[in-house]
Amino acid sequence: MHHEAIILRVAELRAVEARADGAPLMERAGLAAAEIARRMLAVHSARVLILAGPGNNGGDAFVVARWLKSWFFDVTVAFCGDVSALPLDAATAHRGWRDAGGATMREWPDAPFGLIVDGLFGIGLARPIEGVAAQWISRANASSLPILSLDIPSGLDADTGVARLPTIRATATATFIALKPGLLTGDGPDYCGTISVHGLDLDPQSTAASRGSMLAWATQRAALPEVLRRRLHNVHKGSFGTLAIVGGSDGMVGAAILAGRAALHLGAGKVWVGLCAKSPPAVDWAQPELMLRHVRAVLEAEPDAIVIGPGLGTGDDAPGWVAQAIRLPIPLLIDADALNLIARDPALASAVAARVAPTVVTPHPAEAARLAATTVAAIQGDRVGAALVLSAAMNAAVVLKGAGSVVAYPDGHYAINSSGNAALASAGTGDVLSGMIGALLAQRVPLGAAVELGVCLHGAAADTLVADGVGPLGMTASELAPLARRLINLQ
């Protein structure tokens, strides 16, 4: 795995740093960030304000200041710490700045700048910022100047992505050694700007034990499963699997239809849609290839994979449909109301955990909170941790949807998706995701590949639509699957 895709939590990063004891990591980090700052200053005033904090993040800032000064930039350093209390490496960096003729000041300077470098607090911070540093963050955010954050925007929790206000809203973040979960999920995407990863010349083995990775569409596209490339000629619809979708109760038939249409666009050979509505439509005239049936007929047939939940409702018959789907020895994706029913019924939850066939659950934060018997705030307060706990409890791959969707597995590995945007915050997009992943499972794509490709492609389709002027405002769920098909076929 390339270091640009590796994600490490704070404890793992500390272990990597300990193993690299003696390596000049702060010098390397400062130089890497200074190069980014120099590029950002190329289109702005040559004056730079560097905000240095009381710990090692401040040390990185002093190194950045020294390099920029050596390149003849006009550098001002505002320092809100105590020199005598600086950690050893940061104290050395401060001394190097002073030896280079640099000075520090305690007040916000009243002068025009072309860039602010945020070196106030790094990955070790687990509390709201107060005092002078908080005032500086507010002034930086209000300045309208580009801001480069070192390692992580000050105020953002590196493990959880929770922004404890005030938090720097960066234009760019130069992060060191590896990505952190908080850069990619929760509040992180709204505060980090453009992220660059700097490995600091560490031995790749030092991060080889990482359990986290970032999903990026360019990487996913380069490694498409062979079945999606459609290179063989001697094939038929049975070669690409049959997906069953169960849902669509009264007033929510559209959810199951959306999932079915998405599955067709992602290559499923056949799609059966088992509808629970009392008076279901006989055909989907916009997508007549879908085979609309009663839910019982679908569950009693022999599909290659099944999706249950889109528009299912929680009526009297619904728990029985869920129980029947769980018993089928085929790949199963559980979404929406099927998750709510499982959250209510310990017997259903136990049956899911006992499954041997591949299982995927795709909750949004409220559904995850019901499954975990906790609050939405608790789920959002540690999205990676919550997804991992839920995955272990349910013996399933979990997709915790939201900004930076988290994919978690029972063995403790996880991935965070980097594609997608606010256009996905509309009705039906989750149903489309379920149909896309279901189609991949029906085509016998292995569980992890199916889930990660489906999640990343779903976001990439939304990104492409927005780039084409369709959204973010007003993009509809129906527009996603045709675009996802286009992306898959651009090989």
Side-chain angles (χ1 to χ4, degrees):
M1 188 189 303
H2 298 297
H3 71 79
E4 292 89 351
I6 291 171
I7 302 173
L8 294 177
R9 299 168 97 175
V10 172
E12 295 167 324
L13 284 159
R14 296 302 190 213
V16 170
E17 290 170 344
R19 288 195 293 271
D21 186 38
L25 297 185
M26 188 169 288
E27 281 294 317
R28 296 172 184 173
L31 175 57
E35 294 279 10
I36 299 293
R38 177 159 62 174
R39 289 198 288 271
M40 294 177 73
L41 283 161
V43 293
H44 297 283
S45 161
R47 299 194 67 191
V48 56
L49 171 61
I50 295 184
L51 306 178
N56 283 326
N57 202 242
D60 296 336
F62 291 128
V63 177
V64 172
R66 194 184 77 235
W67 277 106
L68 290 176
K69 188 174 188 298
S70 75
W71 297 331
F72 305 105
F73 288 98
D74 186 349
V75 181
T76 299
V77 177
F79 176 46
C80 64
D82 177 356
V83 174
S84 65
L86 283 171
L88 178 60
D89 287 349
T92 301
H94 175 266
R95 187 164 54 252
W97 166 240
R98 297 302 296 264
D99 290 347
T104 63
M105 56 193 309
R106 308 291 296 183
E107 302 293 333
W108 184 278
D110 186 16
F113 294 98
L115 175 70
I116 296 174
V117 175
D118 159 38
L120 290 170
F121 293 94
I123 64 173
L125 187 72
R127 58 174 175 79
I129 297 171
E130 300 175 339
V132 171
Q135 296 172 23
W136 288 359
I137 289 173
S138 297
R139 292 195 66 163
N141 288 341
S143 71
S144 299
L145 292 172
I147 302 173
L148 171 64
S149 284
L150 306 182
D151 214 12
I152 195 161
S154 294
L156 185 67
D157 190 294
D159 274 348
T160 68
V162 171
R164 299 183 181 92
L165 301 181
T167 294
I168 283 284
R169 196 176 290 274
T171 310
T173 299
T175 200
F176 309 129
I177 300 178
L179 290 162
K180 291 81 183 170
L183 296 170
L184 303 173
T185 195
D187 296 320
D190 288 328
Y191 284 86
C192 294
T194 302
I195 300 170
S196 57
V197 184
H198 307 274
L200 307 187
D201 297 326
L202 290 175
D203 181 346
Q205 290 302 312
S206 65
T207 55
S210 166
R211 289 177 168 264
S213 60
M214 181 186 73
L215 302 180
W217 172 237
T219 305
Q220 292 290 315
R221 180 182 170 190
L224 284 180
E226 187 61 30
V227 67
L228 302 184
R229 298 183 184 276
R230 295 298 202 263
R231 287 173 172 160
L232 298 179
H233 292 80
N234 188 19
V235 292
H236 51 83
K237 63 188 177 186
S239 304
F240 306 117
T242 298
L243 177 66
I245 294 172
V246 174
S249 63
D250 290 324
M252 296 184 286
V253 169
I257 297 294
L258 278 171
R261 291 179 182 177
L264 286 174
H265 282 84
L266 259 288
K270 292 185 290 183
V271 181
W272 302 334
V273 182
L275 296 171
C276 306
K278 293 184 176 63
S279 300
V283 64
D284 173 14
W285 289 112
Q287 200 76 69
E289 299 88 348
L290 291 176
M291 289 175 270
L292 308 188
R293 303 181 175 187
H294 187 271
V295 57
R296 184 177 295 105
V298 164
L299 286 169
E300 292 176 355
E302 295 183 354
D304 295 294
I306 186 166
V307 171
I308 188 163
L312 180 68
T314 55
D316 293 343
D317 293 333
W321 303 138
V322 174
Q324 192 170 344
I326 292 170
R327 288 195 295 269
L328 295 175
I330 57 175
L332 169 66
L333 185 148
I334 311 171
D335 188 26
D337 279 327
L339 295 174
N340 294 327
L341 291 166
I342 289 167
R344 295 181 192 175
D345 188 338
L348 288 178
S350 295
V352 171
R355 278 177 52 84
V356 175
T359 309
V360 187
V361 299
T362 56
H364 57 55
E367 291 161 347
R370 294 181 197 116
L371 288 166
T374 187
T375 64
V376 173
I379 297 294
Q380 293 294 80
D382 184 1
R383 287 172 52 78
V384 170
L388 287 168
V389 168
L390 201 55
S391 178
M394 299 189 75
N395 187 32
V398 169
V399 179
L400 178 56
K401 295 182 284 197
S405 291
V406 178
V407 180
Y409 301 99
D411 67 359
H413 283 82
Y414 67 93
I416 302 178
N417 186 39
S418 66
S419 66
N421 57 69
L424 292 171
S426 65
T429 58
D431 304 313
V432 171
L433 175 62
S434 293
M436 289 171 60
I437 297 174
L440 298 173
L441 292 171
Q443 291 171 86
R444 301 171 186 84
V445 175
L447 176 67
V451 174
E452 295 181 13
L453 173 58
V455 168
C456 195
L457 174 60
H458 184 257
D463 289 340
T464 305
L465 284 165
V466 169
D468 289 344
V470 182
L473 185 148
M475 188 202 80
T476 63
S478 300
E479 295 168 290
L480 285 167
L483 207 291
R485 175 183 62 188
R486 193 179 103 193
L487 292 178
I488 284 281
N489 284 305
L490 288 173
Q491 299 174 24

